Coordinates of all heavy atoms in Angstrom, one line a residue:
E16 N 15.1 -9.8 5.0 CA 14.9 -9.2 6.4 C 13.5 -8.6 6.4 O 13.1 -8.0 5.4 CB 15.9 -8.2 6.7 CG 17.3 -8.7 6.7 CD 18.3 -7.5 6.8 OE1 18.0 -6.4 6.7 OE2 19.5 -7.8 7.1
L17 N 12.9 -8.7 7.6 CA 11.6 -8.0 7.8 C 11.7 -7.3 9.2 O 12.2 -7.8 10.2 CB 10.4 -9.0 7.9 CG 10.0 -9.6 6.6 CD1 8.9 -10.6 6.9 CD2 9.6 -8.6 5.6
N18 N 11.2 -6.0 9.2 CA 11.1 -5.3 10.5 C 9.6 -5.5 10.9 O 8.7 -5.1 10.1 CB 11.4 -3.8 10.3 CG 12.9 -3.6 10.0 OD1 13.7 -4.3 10.5 ND2 13.2 -2.7 9.2
R19 N 9.4 -6.0 12.1 CA 8.1 -6.2 12.6 C 8.1 -6.2 14.1 O 9.1 -6.5 14.7 CB 7.5 -7.5 12.0 CG 8.3 -8.7 12.3 CD 7.6 -10.0 12.0 NE 7.1 -10.1 10.6 CZ 6.7 -11.3 10.1 NH1 6.7 -12.4 10.8 NH2 6.2 -11.3 8.9
P20 N 7.0 -5.9 14.7 CA 6.9 -5.9 16.2 C 7.2 -7.3 16.7 O 6.9 -8.3 16.0 CB 5.4 -5.5 16.5 CG 4.9 -5.0 15.2 CD 5.7 -5.6 14.1
M21 N 7.7 -7.4 18.0 CA 7.9 -8.7 18.6 C 6.7 -9.6 18.7 O 6.8 -10.8 18.6 CB 8.5 -8.5 20.0 CG 10.0 -7.9 19.9 SD 10.7 -7.6 21.5 CE 10.9 -9.2 22.1
A22 N 5.5 -9.0 18.8 CA 4.3 -9.7 18.9 C 4.0 -10.5 17.6 O 3.3 -11.5 17.6 CB 3.1 -8.8 19.2
E23 N 4.7 -10.1 16.5 CA 4.5 -10.8 15.2 C 5.7 -11.6 14.8 O 5.8 -12.0 13.6 CB 4.2 -9.7 14.1 CG 2.9 -9.0 14.4 CD 2.6 -7.9 13.3 OE1 3.3 -7.9 12.3 OE2 1.8 -7.0 13.6
A24 N 6.6 -11.8 15.7 CA 7.9 -12.5 15.4 C 7.7 -13.9 14.8 O 8.4 -14.3 13.9 CB 8.7 -12.6 16.7
S25 N 6.6 -14.6 15.2 CA 6.4 -16.0 14.8 C 5.4 -16.0 13.6 O 5.1 -17.1 13.1 CB 5.9 -16.8 15.9 OG 6.8 -16.9 16.9
A26 N 4.9 -14.9 13.1 CA 4.0 -14.9 12.0 C 4.7 -15.3 10.7 O 5.8 -15.1 10.5 CB 3.4 -13.5 11.9
P27 N 3.9 -16.0 9.9 CA 4.5 -16.4 8.6 C 5.0 -15.2 7.8 O 4.4 -14.1 7.9 CB 3.3 -17.1 7.9 CG 2.3 -17.4 8.9 CD 2.5 -16.4 10.0
A28 N 6.0 -15.4 6.9 CA 6.5 -14.4 6.1 C 6.5 -14.9 4.6 O 6.7 -16.1 4.4 CB 7.9 -14.0 6.5
T29 N 6.3 -14.0 3.7 CA 6.3 -14.3 2.3 C 7.6 -13.7 1.7 O 7.9 -12.5 2.0 CB 5.1 -13.7 1.6 OG1 3.9 -14.3 2.1 CG2 5.1 -14.1 0.1
C30 N 8.3 -14.4 0.9 CA 9.6 -13.9 0.4 C 9.3 -12.8 -0.7 O 8.1 -12.7 -1.2 CB 10.4 -15.0 -0.2 SG 10.2 -15.4 -1.9
P31 N 10.2 -12.0 -1.0 CA 10.0 -10.9 -2.0 C 9.6 -11.5 -3.4 O 9.0 -10.7 -4.2 CB 11.4 -10.2 -2.1 CG 12.0 -10.5 -0.8 CD 11.6 -11.9 -0.4
Q32 N 9.9 -12.7 -3.7 CA 9.5 -13.4 -5.0 C 8.0 -13.9 -4.9 O 7.5 -14.4 -5.9 CB 10.5 -14.5 -5.3 CG 11.9 -14.0 -5.4 CD 12.1 -12.9 -6.4 OE1 11.6 -12.9 -7.5 NE2 12.9 -12.0 -6.0
G33 N 7.4 -13.8 -3.7 CA 6.0 -14.3 -3.6 C 5.8 -15.7 -3.0 O 4.7 -16.2 -2.9
H34 N 6.9 -16.4 -2.7 CA 6.8 -17.8 -2.2 C 6.5 -17.7 -0.7 O 6.9 -16.8 0.0 CB 8.2 -18.5 -2.3 CG 8.7 -18.5 -3.7 ND1 9.8 -18.0 -4.1 CD2 8.1 -19.1 -4.9 CE1 10.0 -18.2 -5.4 NE2 9.0 -18.8 -5.9
K35 N 5.6 -18.6 -0.3 CA 5.2 -18.7 1.1 C 5.9 -19.6 2.0 O 5.8 -19.6 3.2 CB 3.7 -18.9 1.2 CG 2.9 -17.8 0.5 CD 1.4 -18.1 0.7 CE 0.6 -17.0 -0.1 NZ 0.5 -15.8 0.7
D36 N 6.8 -20.5 1.4 CA 7.5 -21.5 2.2 C 8.8 -20.9 2.7 O 9.8 -21.0 2.0 CB 7.8 -22.8 1.3 CG 8.3 -23.9 2.1 OD1 8.3 -23.9 3.4 OD2 8.8 -24.9 1.5
T37 N 8.7 -20.2 3.8 CA 9.9 -19.6 4.4 C 10.2 -20.1 5.8 O 9.3 -20.6 6.5 CB 9.7 -18.0 4.4 OG1 8.6 -17.7 5.2 CG2 9.6 -17.5 3.0
V38 N 11.4 -19.8 6.3 CA 11.8 -20.2 7.6 C 12.5 -19.0 8.3 O 13.3 -18.4 7.6 CB 12.6 -21.5 7.6 CG1 13.9 -21.3 6.8 CG2 12.9 -22.0 9.0
K39 N 12.2 -18.8 9.5 CA 12.9 -17.7 10.3 C 14.3 -18.2 10.7 O 14.4 -19.3 11.2 CB 12.1 -17.3 11.5 CG 12.7 -16.0 12.2 CD 11.7 -15.5 13.2 CE 11.8 -16.2 14.5 NZ 11.2 -15.6 15.6
L40 N 15.3 -17.4 10.5 CA 16.7 -17.8 10.8 C 17.0 -17.3 12.2 O 16.5 -16.2 12.6 CB 17.6 -17.2 9.8 CG 17.4 -17.6 8.3 CD1 18.4 -16.8 7.4 CD2 17.6 -19.1 8.2
L41 N 17.9 -18.0 12.8 CA 18.4 -17.5 14.1 C 19.4 -16.4 13.8 O 20.3 -16.5 13.0 CB 19.1 -18.6 14.9 CG 18.2 -19.8 15.3 CD1 19.1 -20.9 15.9 CD2 17.2 -19.3 16.3
S42 N 19.3 -15.3 14.6 CA 20.2 -14.2 14.4 C 21.1 -14.0 15.6 O 20.8 -14.4 16.7 CB 19.4 -12.9 14.3 OG 18.5 -13.0 13.2
T43 N 22.3 -13.5 15.3 CA 23.2 -13.2 16.4 C 23.2 -11.7 16.8 O 22.9 -10.9 15.9 CB 24.7 -13.6 16.1 OG1 25.0 -12.9 14.9 CG2 24.8 -15.1 15.8
V44 N 23.4 -11.4 18.0 CA 23.3 -10.0 18.4 C 24.7 -9.7 19.1 O 25.1 -10.4 20.0 CB 22.2 -9.8 19.4 CG1 22.2 -8.3 19.9 CG2 20.9 -10.1 18.7
A45 N 25.3 -8.6 18.7 CA 26.5 -8.2 19.4 C 26.2 -7.0 20.3 O 25.6 -6.1 19.9 CB 27.5 -7.7 18.3
V46 N 26.6 -7.2 21.6 CA 26.4 -6.1 22.5 C 27.7 -5.6 23.0 O 28.6 -6.4 23.4 CB 25.6 -6.7 23.8 CG1 25.4 -5.6 24.8 CG2 24.3 -7.3 23.3
T47 N 27.9 -4.3 22.9 CA 29.1 -3.7 23.3 C 28.8 -2.7 24.3 O 27.8 -2.0 24.3 CB 29.9 -3.1 22.1 OG1 29.0 -2.1 21.5 CG2 30.2 -4.1 21.0

Side-chain angles (χ1 to χ4, degrees):
E16 302 172 347
L17 289 178
N18 292 324
R19 54 170 55 169
M21 290 177 71
E23 297 175 16
S25 298
T29 301
C30 91
Q32 305 301 320
H34 305 118
K35 295 186 185 280
D36 188 13
T37 61
V38 60
K39 187 169 83 167
L40 302 175
L41 295 176
S42 301
T43 58
V44 177
V46 178
T47 59

